[in-house]
PDB file of all heavy atoms in Angstrom:
ATOM      1  N   PRO F   1       0.805  -1.217   0.000  1.00 95.00           N
ATOM      2  CA  PRO F   1       0.000   0.000   0.000  1.00 95.00           C
ATOM      3  C   PRO F   1       0.842   1.273   0.000  1.00 95.00           C
ATOM      4  O   PRO F   1       0.372   2.329  -0.429  1.00 95.00           O
ATOM      5  CB  PRO F   1      -0.826  -0.110   1.282  1.00 95.00           C
ATOM      6  CG  PRO F   1      -0.877  -1.565   1.577  1.00 95.00           C
ATOM      7  CD  PRO F   1       0.442  -2.103   1.113  1.00 95.00           C
ATOM      8  N   ILE F   2       2.082   1.184   0.471  1.00 92.00           N
ATOM      9  CA  ILE F   2       2.951   2.362   0.487  1.00 92.00           C
ATOM     10  C   ILE F   2       3.212   2.875  -0.929  1.00 92.00           C
ATOM     11  O   ILE F   2       3.447   4.054  -1.143  1.00 92.00           O
ATOM     12  CB  ILE F   2       4.293   2.028   1.193  1.00 92.00           C
ATOM     13  CG1 ILE F   2       4.045   1.724   2.665  1.00 92.00           C
ATOM     14  CG2 ILE F   2       5.296   3.158   1.059  1.00 92.00           C
ATOM     15  CD1 ILE F   2       5.246   1.181   3.402  1.00 92.00           C
ATOM     16  N   MET F   3       3.142   1.988  -1.910  1.00 92.00           N
ATOM     17  CA  MET F   3       3.416   2.348  -3.302  1.00 92.00           C
ATOM     18  C   MET F   3       2.321   3.240  -3.894  1.00 92.00           C
ATOM     19  O   MET F   3       2.531   3.867  -4.919  1.00 92.00           O
ATOM     20  CB  MET F   3       3.561   1.085  -4.150  1.00 92.00           C
ATOM     21  CG  MET F   3       4.706   0.205  -3.691  1.00 92.00           C
ATOM     22  SD  MET F   3       4.660  -1.447  -4.413  1.00 92.00           S
ATOM     23  CE  MET F   3       5.341  -1.092  -6.021  1.00 92.00           C
ATOM     24  N   GLY F   4       1.155   3.271  -3.262  1.00 89.00           N
ATOM     25  CA  GLY F   4       0.055   4.101  -3.728  1.00 89.00           C
ATOM     26  C   GLY F   4      -0.894   3.344  -4.627  1.00 89.00           C
ATOM     27  O   GLY F   4      -0.566   2.327  -5.233  1.00 89.00           O
ATOM     28  N   LYS F   5      -2.087   3.874  -4.711  1.00 89.00           N
ATOM     29  CA  LYS F   5      -3.173   3.223  -5.444  1.00 89.00           C
ATOM     30  C   LYS F   5      -2.869   3.058  -6.931  1.00 89.00           C
ATOM     31  O   LYS F   5      -3.222   2.042  -7.525  1.00 89.00           O
ATOM     32  CB  LYS F   5      -4.463   4.010  -5.250  1.00 89.00           C
ATOM     33  CG  LYS F   5      -5.680   3.239  -5.637  1.00 89.00           C
ATOM     34  CD  LYS F   5      -6.936   3.896  -5.094  1.00 89.00           C
ATOM     35  CE  LYS F   5      -8.043   2.890  -5.173  1.00 89.00           C
ATOM     36  NZ  LYS F   5      -8.803   2.777  -3.978  1.00 89.00           N
ATOM     37  N   ALA F   6      -2.210   4.033  -7.534  1.00 85.00           N
ATOM     38  CA  ALA F   6      -1.921   3.947  -8.973  1.00 85.00           C
ATOM     39  C   ALA F   6      -1.013   2.775  -9.301  1.00 85.00           C
ATOM     40  O   ALA F   6      -1.111   2.191 -10.376  1.00 85.00           O
ATOM     41  CB  ALA F   6      -1.299   5.251  -9.459  1.00 85.00           C
ATOM     42  N   VAL F   7      -0.138   2.409  -8.375  1.00 87.00           N
ATOM     43  CA  VAL F   7       0.813   1.316  -8.618  1.00 87.00           C
ATOM     44  C   VAL F   7       0.283  -0.007  -8.082  1.00 87.00           C
ATOM     45  O   VAL F   7       0.284  -1.018  -8.779  1.00 87.00           O
ATOM     46  CB  VAL F   7       2.191   1.632  -7.988  1.00 87.00           C
ATOM     47  CG1 VAL F   7       3.140   0.458  -8.136  1.00 87.00           C
ATOM     48  CG2 VAL F   7       2.776   2.890  -8.607  1.00 87.00           C
ATOM     49  N   SER F   8      -0.166  -0.019  -6.827  1.00 85.00           N
ATOM     50  CA  SER F   8      -0.510  -1.285  -6.172  1.00 85.00           C
ATOM     51  C   SER F   8      -2.008  -1.560  -6.078  1.00 85.00           C
ATOM     52  O   SER F   8      -2.408  -2.656  -5.712  1.00 85.00           O
ATOM     53  CB  SER F   8       0.078  -1.315  -4.762  1.00 85.00           C
ATOM     54  OG  SER F   8      -0.607  -0.408  -3.921  1.00 85.00           O
ATOM     55  N   GLY F   9      -2.817  -0.575  -6.365  1.00 84.00           N
ATOM     56  CA  GLY F   9      -4.256  -0.747  -6.219  1.00 84.00           C
ATOM     57  C   GLY F   9      -4.756  -0.492  -4.810  1.00 84.00           C
ATOM     58  O   GLY F   9      -5.936  -0.626  -4.530  1.00 84.00           O
ATOM     59  N   ALA F  10      -3.842  -0.138  -3.920  1.00 89.00           N
ATOM     60  CA  ALA F  10      -4.202   0.135  -2.528  1.00 89.00           C
ATOM     61  C   ALA F  10      -3.311   1.254  -2.020  1.00 89.00           C
ATOM     62  O   ALA F  10      -2.245   1.509  -2.578  1.00 89.00           O
ATOM     63  CB  ALA F  10      -4.005  -1.114  -1.678  1.00 89.00           C
ATOM     64  N   GLU F  11      -3.760   1.923  -0.971  1.00 93.00           N
ATOM     65  CA  GLU F  11      -2.889   2.913  -0.350  1.00 93.00           C
ATOM     66  C   GLU F  11      -3.197   3.033   1.129  1.00 93.00           C
ATOM     67  O   GLU F  11      -4.260   2.652   1.585  1.00 93.00           O
ATOM     68  CB  GLU F  11      -2.991   4.263  -1.048  1.00 93.00           C
ATOM     69  CG  GLU F  11      -4.327   4.939  -0.997  1.00 93.00           C
ATOM     70  CD  GLU F  11      -4.357   6.203  -1.837  1.00 93.00           C
ATOM     71  OE1 GLU F  11      -3.383   6.968  -1.807  1.00 93.00           O
ATOM     72  OE2 GLU F  11      -5.349   6.415  -2.527  1.00 93.00           O
ATOM     73  N   GLY F  12      -2.211   3.518   1.847  1.00 95.00           N
ATOM     74  CA  GLY F  12      -2.339   3.689   3.276  1.00 95.00           C
ATOM     75  C   GLY F  12      -1.092   3.201   3.969  1.00 95.00           C
ATOM     76  O   GLY F  12      -0.169   2.669   3.345  1.00 95.00           O
ATOM     77  N   LYS F  13      -1.063   3.396   5.270  1.00 96.00           N
ATOM     78  CA  LYS F  13       0.059   2.943   6.097  1.00 96.00           C
ATOM     79  C   LYS F  13      -0.227   1.519   6.552  1.00 96.00           C
ATOM     80  O   LYS F  13      -1.218   1.264   7.235  1.00 96.00           O
ATOM     81  CB  LYS F  13       0.213   3.849   7.308  1.00 96.00           C
ATOM     82  CG  LYS F  13       1.320   3.397   8.243  1.00 96.00           C
ATOM     83  CD  LYS F  13       1.362   4.235   9.493  1.00 96.00           C
ATOM     84  CE  LYS F  13       2.422   3.659  10.433  1.00 96.00           C
ATOM     85  NZ  LYS F  13       2.259   4.171  11.773  1.00 96.00           N
ATOM     86  N   PRO F  14       0.622   0.558   6.188  1.00 97.00           N
ATOM     87  CA  PRO F  14       0.397  -0.821   6.628  1.00 97.00           C
ATOM     88  C   PRO F  14       0.518  -0.951   8.152  1.00 97.00           C
ATOM     89  O   PRO F  14       1.477  -0.484   8.749  1.00 97.00           O
ATOM     90  CB  PRO F  14       1.520  -1.607   5.945  1.00 97.00           C
ATOM     91  CG  PRO F  14       1.976  -0.742   4.819  1.00 97.00           C
ATOM     92  CD  PRO F  14       1.762   0.664   5.280  1.00 97.00           C
ATOM     93  N   ILE F  15      -0.477  -1.572   8.741  1.00 97.00           N
ATOM     94  CA  ILE F  15      -0.509  -1.826  10.178  1.00 97.00           C
ATOM     95  C   ILE F  15      -0.211  -3.308  10.432  1.00 97.00           C
ATOM     96  O   ILE F  15       0.499  -3.659  11.352  1.00 97.00           O
ATOM     97  CB  ILE F  15      -1.898  -1.472  10.764  1.00 97.00           C
ATOM     98  CG1 ILE F  15      -2.300  -0.047  10.421  1.00 97.00           C
ATOM     99  CG2 ILE F  15      -1.939  -1.704  12.260  1.00 97.00           C
ATOM    100  CD1 ILE F  15      -1.373   1.015  10.922  1.00 97.00           C
ATOM    101  N   LEU F  16      -0.782  -4.164   9.587  1.00 98.00           N
ATOM    102  CA  LEU F  16      -0.635  -5.614   9.696  1.00 98.00           C
ATOM    103  C   LEU F  16      -0.680  -6.185   8.287  1.00 98.00           C
ATOM    104  O   LEU F  16      -1.526  -5.786   7.489  1.00 98.00           O
ATOM    105  CB  LEU F  16      -1.793  -6.189  10.521  1.00 98.00           C
ATOM    106  CG  LEU F  16      -1.922  -7.706  10.604  1.00 98.00           C
ATOM    107  CD1 LEU F  16      -0.751  -8.306  11.384  1.00 98.00           C
ATOM    108  CD2 LEU F  16      -3.248  -8.088  11.265  1.00 98.00           C
ATOM    109  N   GLY F  17       0.218  -7.095   7.974  1.00 97.00           N
ATOM    110  CA  GLY F  17       0.230  -7.736   6.666  1.00 97.00           C
ATOM    111  C   GLY F  17       0.342  -9.238   6.787  1.00 97.00           C
ATOM    112  O   GLY F  17       0.976  -9.751   7.710  1.00 97.00           O
ATOM    113  N   CYS F  18      -0.282  -9.933   5.861  1.00 97.00           N
ATOM    114  CA  CYS F  18      -0.188 -11.388   5.802  1.00 97.00           C
ATOM    115  C   CYS F  18       0.184 -11.784   4.383  1.00 97.00           C
ATOM    116  O   CYS F  18      -0.507 -11.435   3.422  1.00 97.00           O
ATOM    117  CB  CYS F  18      -1.512 -12.030   6.207  1.00 97.00           C
ATOM    118  SG  CYS F  18      -1.461 -13.841   6.174  1.00 97.00           S
ATOM    119  N   ASP F  19       1.266 -12.507   4.267  1.00 95.00           N
ATOM    120  CA  ASP F  19       1.777 -12.997   2.992  1.00 95.00           C
ATOM    121  C   ASP F  19       0.891 -14.141   2.514  1.00 95.00           C
ATOM    122  O   ASP F  19       0.769 -15.160   3.183  1.00 95.00           O
ATOM    123  CB  ASP F  19       3.214 -13.484   3.226  1.00 95.00           C
ATOM    124  CG  ASP F  19       3.930 -13.957   1.993  1.00 95.00           C
ATOM    125  OD1 ASP F  19       3.300 -14.081   0.922  1.00 95.00           O
ATOM    126  OD2 ASP F  19       5.147 -14.218   2.105  1.00 95.00           O
ATOM    127  N   VAL F  20       0.247 -13.986   1.364  1.00 93.00           N
ATOM    128  CA  VAL F  20      -0.572 -15.068   0.816  1.00 93.00           C
ATOM    129  C   VAL F  20       0.062 -15.681  -0.433  1.00 93.00           C
ATOM    130  O   VAL F  20      -0.615 -16.335  -1.218  1.00 93.00           O
ATOM    131  CB  VAL F  20      -2.046 -14.635   0.564  1.00 93.00           C
ATOM    132  CG1 VAL F  20      -2.741 -14.333   1.880  1.00 93.00           C
ATOM    133  CG2 VAL F  20      -2.155 -13.488  -0.392  1.00 93.00           C
ATOM    134  N   TRP F  21       1.354 -15.467  -0.593  1.00 90.00           N
ATOM    135  CA  TRP F  21       2.086 -16.193  -1.628  1.00 90.00           C
ATOM    136  C   TRP F  21       2.084 -17.659  -1.213  1.00 90.00           C
ATOM    137  O   TRP F  21       2.257 -17.982  -0.040  1.00 90.00           O
ATOM    138  CB  TRP F  21       3.528 -15.712  -1.720  1.00 90.00           C
ATOM    139  CG  TRP F  21       3.739 -14.367  -2.317  1.00 90.00           C
ATOM    140  CD1 TRP F  21       3.172 -13.192  -1.937  1.00 90.00           C
ATOM    141  CD2 TRP F  21       4.625 -14.055  -3.389  1.00 90.00           C
ATOM    142  NE1 TRP F  21       3.648 -12.171  -2.704  1.00 90.00           N
ATOM    143  CE2 TRP F  21       4.552 -12.684  -3.608  1.00 90.00           C
ATOM    144  CE3 TRP F  21       5.487 -14.816  -4.179  1.00 90.00           C
ATOM    145  CZ2 TRP F  21       5.288 -12.037  -4.589  1.00 90.00           C
ATOM    146  CZ3 TRP F  21       6.217 -14.168  -5.160  1.00 90.00           C
ATOM    147  CH2 TRP F  21       6.112 -12.792  -5.351  1.00 90.00           C
ATOM    148  N   GLU F  22       1.938 -18.540  -2.139  1.00 86.00           N
ATOM    149  CA  GLU F  22       1.883 -19.965  -1.825  1.00 86.00           C
ATOM    150  C   GLU F  22       3.109 -20.445  -1.036  1.00 86.00           C
ATOM    151  O   GLU F  22       3.004 -21.301  -0.176  1.00 86.00           O
ATOM    152  CB  GLU F  22       1.748 -20.765  -3.113  1.00 86.00           C
ATOM    153  CG  GLU F  22       1.357 -22.196  -2.888  1.00 86.00           C
ATOM    154  CD  GLU F  22       1.082 -22.910  -4.183  1.00 86.00           C
ATOM    155  OE1 GLU F  22       2.046 -23.176  -4.931  1.00 86.00           O
ATOM    156  OE2 GLU F  22      -0.091 -23.196  -4.443  1.00 86.00           O
ATOM    157  N   HIS F  23       4.267 -19.843  -1.303  1.00 81.00           N
ATOM    158  CA  HIS F  23       5.473 -20.288  -0.585  1.00 81.00           C
ATOM    159  C   HIS F  23       5.368 -20.046   0.923  1.00 81.00           C
ATOM    160  O   HIS F  23       6.089 -20.655   1.698  1.00 81.00           O
ATOM    161  CB  HIS F  23       6.736 -19.606  -1.137  1.00 81.00           C
ATOM    162  CG  HIS F  23       6.802 -18.132  -0.872  1.00 81.00           C
ATOM    163  ND1 HIS F  23       6.849 -17.211  -1.881  1.00 81.00           N
ATOM    164  CD2 HIS F  23       6.821 -17.414   0.272  1.00 81.00           C
ATOM    165  CE1 HIS F  23       6.909 -15.996  -1.360  1.00 81.00           C
ATOM    166  NE2 HIS F  23       6.879 -16.106  -0.059  1.00 81.00           N
ATOM    167  N   ALA F  24       4.498 -19.148   1.348  1.00 86.00           N
ATOM    168  CA  ALA F  24       4.362 -18.834   2.769  1.00 86.00           C
ATOM    169  C   ALA F  24       3.667 -19.954   3.538  1.00 86.00           C
ATOM    170  O   ALA F  24       3.850 -20.074   4.739  1.00 86.00           O
ATOM    171  CB  ALA F  24       3.577 -17.529   2.945  1.00 86.00           C
ATOM    172  N   TYR F  25       2.887 -20.761   2.854  1.00 88.00           N
ATOM    173  CA  TYR F  25       2.083 -21.751   3.581  1.00 88.00           C
ATOM    174  C   TYR F  25       2.087 -23.153   2.988  1.00 88.00           C
ATOM    175  O   TYR F  25       1.579 -24.081   3.601  1.00 88.00           O
ATOM    176  CB  TYR F  25       0.636 -21.261   3.703  1.00 88.00           C
ATOM    177  CG  TYR F  25      -0.072 -20.998   2.396  1.00 88.00           C
ATOM    178  CD1 TYR F  25      -0.739 -22.016   1.722  1.00 88.00           C
ATOM    179  CD2 TYR F  25      -0.088 -19.726   1.843  1.00 88.00           C
ATOM    180  CE1 TYR F  25      -1.393 -21.772   0.528  1.00 88.00           C
ATOM    181  CE2 TYR F  25      -0.745 -19.476   0.655  1.00 88.00           C
ATOM    182  CZ  TYR F  25      -1.400 -20.494  -0.003  1.00 88.00           C
ATOM    183  OH  TYR F  25      -2.038 -20.260  -1.181  1.00 88.00           O
ATOM    184  N   TYR F  26       2.674 -23.359   1.828  1.00 78.00           N
ATOM    185  CA  TYR F  26       2.499 -24.632   1.131  1.00 78.00           C
ATOM    186  C   TYR F  26       3.016 -25.844   1.907  1.00 78.00           C
ATOM    187  O   TYR F  26       2.372 -26.882   1.936  1.00 78.00           O
ATOM    188  CB  TYR F  26       3.131 -24.611  -0.268  1.00 78.00           C
ATOM    189  CG  TYR F  26       2.726 -25.817  -1.061  1.00 78.00           C
ATOM    190  CD1 TYR F  26       1.488 -25.852  -1.695  1.00 78.00           C
ATOM    191  CD2 TYR F  26       3.536 -26.941  -1.116  1.00 78.00           C
ATOM    192  CE1 TYR F  26       1.075 -26.970  -2.381  1.00 78.00           C
ATOM    193  CE2 TYR F  26       3.124 -28.075  -1.800  1.00 78.00           C
ATOM    194  CZ  TYR F  26       1.898 -28.079  -2.442  1.00 78.00           C
ATOM    195  OH  TYR F  26       1.487 -29.190  -3.107  1.00 78.00           O
ATOM    196  N   LEU F  27       4.170 -25.743   2.542  1.00 81.00           N
ATOM    197  CA  LEU F  27       4.729 -26.911   3.229  1.00 81.00           C
ATOM    198  C   LEU F  27       3.807 -27.431   4.330  1.00 81.00           C
ATOM    199  O   LEU F  27       3.703 -28.636   4.544  1.00 81.00           O
ATOM    200  CB  LEU F  27       6.108 -26.599   3.808  1.00 81.00           C
ATOM    201  CG  LEU F  27       7.213 -26.454   2.780  1.00 81.00           C
ATOM    202  CD1 LEU F  27       8.528 -26.091   3.466  1.00 81.00           C
ATOM    203  CD2 LEU F  27       7.379 -27.719   1.955  1.00 81.00           C
ATOM    204  N   LYS F  28       3.120 -26.541   5.010  1.00 88.00           N
ATOM    205  CA  LYS F  28       2.244 -26.961   6.105  1.00 88.00           C
ATOM    206  C   LYS F  28       0.790 -27.118   5.661  1.00 88.00           C
ATOM    207  O   LYS F  28       0.088 -28.002   6.143  1.00 88.00           O
ATOM    208  CB  LYS F  28       2.322 -25.960   7.259  1.00 88.00           C
ATOM    209  CG  LYS F  28       1.582 -26.420   8.488  1.00 88.00           C
ATOM    210  CD  LYS F  28       1.925 -25.598   9.696  1.00 88.00           C
ATOM    211  CE  LYS F  28       1.249 -26.164  10.921  1.00 88.00           C
ATOM    212  NZ  LYS F  28       1.593 -25.426  12.111  1.00 88.00           N
ATOM    213  N   TYR F  29       0.330 -26.258   4.743  1.00 87.00           N
ATOM    214  CA  TYR F  29      -1.088 -26.216   4.395  1.00 87.00           C
ATOM    215  C   TYR F  29      -1.397 -26.630   2.958  1.00 87.00           C
ATOM    216  O   TYR F  29      -2.562 -26.645   2.579  1.00 87.00           O
ATOM    217  CB  TYR F  29      -1.653 -24.805   4.656  1.00 87.00           C
ATOM    218  CG  TYR F  29      -1.608 -24.443   6.106  1.00 87.00           C
ATOM    219  CD1 TYR F  29      -0.551 -23.700   6.631  1.00 87.00           C
ATOM    220  CD2 TYR F  29      -2.606 -24.862   6.978  1.00 87.00           C
ATOM    221  CE1 TYR F  29      -0.497 -23.380   7.976  1.00 87.00           C
ATOM    222  CE2 TYR F  29      -2.560 -24.546   8.328  1.00 87.00           C
ATOM    223  CZ  TYR F  29      -1.511 -23.807   8.813  1.00 87.00           C
ATOM    224  OH  TYR F  29      -1.463 -23.501  10.150  1.00 87.00           O
ATOM    225  N   GLN F  30      -0.390 -26.968   2.164  1.00 89.00           N
ATOM    226  CA  GLN F  30      -0.552 -27.290   0.746  1.00 89.00           C
ATOM    227  C   GLN F  30      -1.389 -26.188   0.071  1.00 89.00           C
ATOM    228  O   GLN F  30      -1.008 -25.045   0.142  1.00 89.00           O
ATOM    229  CB  GLN F  30      -1.137 -28.690   0.533  1.00 89.00           C
ATOM    230  CG  GLN F  30      -0.169 -29.800   0.883  1.00 89.00           C
ATOM    231  CD  GLN F  30      -0.040 -30.040   2.367  1.00 89.00           C
ATOM    232  OE1 GLN F  30      -1.031 -30.052   3.094  1.00 89.00           O
ATOM    233  NE2 GLN F  30       1.183 -30.206   2.841  1.00 89.00           N
ATOM    234  N   ASN F  31      -2.499 -26.522  -0.526  1.00 86.00           N
ATOM    235  CA  ASN F  31      -3.294 -25.508  -1.218  1.00 86.00           C
ATOM    236  C   ASN F  31      -4.447 -24.975  -0.360  1.00 86.00           C
ATOM    237  O   ASN F  31      -5.367 -24.362  -0.882  1.00 86.00           O
ATOM    238  CB  ASN F  31      -3.848 -26.086  -2.527  1.00 86.00           C
ATOM    239  CG  ASN F  31      -4.779 -27.256  -2.293  1.00 86.00           C
ATOM    240  OD1 ASN F  31      -4.854 -27.790  -1.198  1.00 86.00           O
ATOM    241  ND2 ASN F  31      -5.495 -27.659  -3.323  1.00 86.00           N
ATOM    242  N   ARG F  32      -4.372 -25.158   0.949  1.00 88.00           N
ATOM    243  CA  ARG F  32      -5.453 -24.750   1.846  1.00 88.00           C
ATOM    244  C   ARG F  32      -5.189 -23.350   2.428  1.00 88.00           C
ATOM    245  O   ARG F  32      -4.925 -23.186   3.614  1.00 88.00           O
ATOM    246  CB  ARG F  32      -5.636 -25.786   2.952  1.00 88.00           C
ATOM    247  CG  ARG F  32      -6.034 -27.163   2.416  1.00 88.00           C
ATOM    248  CD  ARG F  32      -6.317 -28.178   3.514  1.00 88.00           C
ATOM    249  NE  ARG F  32      -5.366 -28.157   4.615  1.00 88.00           N
ATOM    250  CZ  ARG F  32      -4.223 -28.845   4.658  1.00 88.00           C
ATOM    251  NH1 ARG F  32      -3.858 -29.609   3.655  1.00 88.00           N
ATOM    252  NH2 ARG F  32      -3.441 -28.772   5.719  1.00 88.00           N
ATOM    253  N   ARG F  33      -5.277 -22.351   1.577  1.00 90.00           N
ATOM    254  CA  ARG F  33      -5.021 -20.969   2.003  1.00 90.00           C
ATOM    255  C   ARG F  33      -5.962 -20.552   3.128  1.00 90.00           C
ATOM    256  O   ARG F  33      -5.566 -19.825   4.037  1.00 90.00           O
ATOM    257  CB  ARG F  33      -5.138 -20.010   0.821  1.00 90.00           C
ATOM    258  CG  ARG F  33      -4.728 -18.594   1.161  1.00 90.00           C
ATOM    259  CD  ARG F  33      -4.925 -17.618   0.035  1.00 90.00           C
ATOM    260  NE  ARG F  33      -3.897 -17.758  -0.972  1.00 90.00           N
ATOM    261  CZ  ARG F  33      -3.790 -16.955  -2.026  1.00 90.00           C
ATOM    262  NH1 ARG F  33      -4.651 -15.964  -2.202  1.00 90.00           N
ATOM    263  NH2 ARG F  33      -2.839 -17.140  -2.911  1.00 90.00           N
ATOM    264  N   ALA F  34      -7.206 -20.988   3.074  1.00 93.00           N
ATOM    265  CA  ALA F  34      -8.174 -20.611   4.116  1.00 93.00           C
ATOM    266  C   ALA F  34      -7.717 -21.098   5.492  1.00 93.00           C
ATOM    267  O   ALA F  34      -7.820 -20.367   6.487  1.00 93.00           O
ATOM    268  CB  ALA F  34      -9.554 -21.165   3.781  1.00 93.00           C
ATOM    269  N   ASP F  35      -7.203 -22.316   5.563  1.00 94.00           N
ATOM    270  CA  ASP F  35      -6.706 -22.847   6.841  1.00 94.00           C
ATOM    271  C   ASP F  35      -5.511 -22.038   7.331  1.00 94.00           C
ATOM    272  O   ASP F  35      -5.379 -21.759   8.521  1.00 94.00           O
ATOM    273  CB  ASP F  35      -6.316 -24.321   6.707  1.00 94.00           C
ATOM    274  CG  ASP F  35      -7.504 -25.231   6.468  1.00 94.00           C
ATOM    275  OD1 ASP F  35      -8.664 -24.786   6.660  1.00 94.00           O
ATOM    276  OD2 ASP F  35      -7.279 -26.387   6.081  1.00 94.00           O
TER     277      ASP F  35
END
């Protein structure tokens, strides 16, 4: 979001972020992003 809406589609000061790239969860959750 720091990049601004024109670049990232979002803007604002990040308070909390969660990585939803598959590499962040695949070993433990496989394709179960919701879990």
Side-chain angles (χ1 to χ4, degrees):
I2 294 171
M3 299 167 79
K5 196 165 196 132
V7 175
S8 71
E11 63 186 318
K13 177 185 176 196
I15 306 300
L16 172 67
C18 181
D19 183 352
V20 294
W21 288 55
E22 194 174 71
H23 68 241
Y25 59 87
Y26 191 81
L27 288 178
K28 187 167 185 178
Y29 296 96
Q30 289 78 43
N31 62 348
R32 298 184 317 272
R33 187 184 284 185
D35 292 346

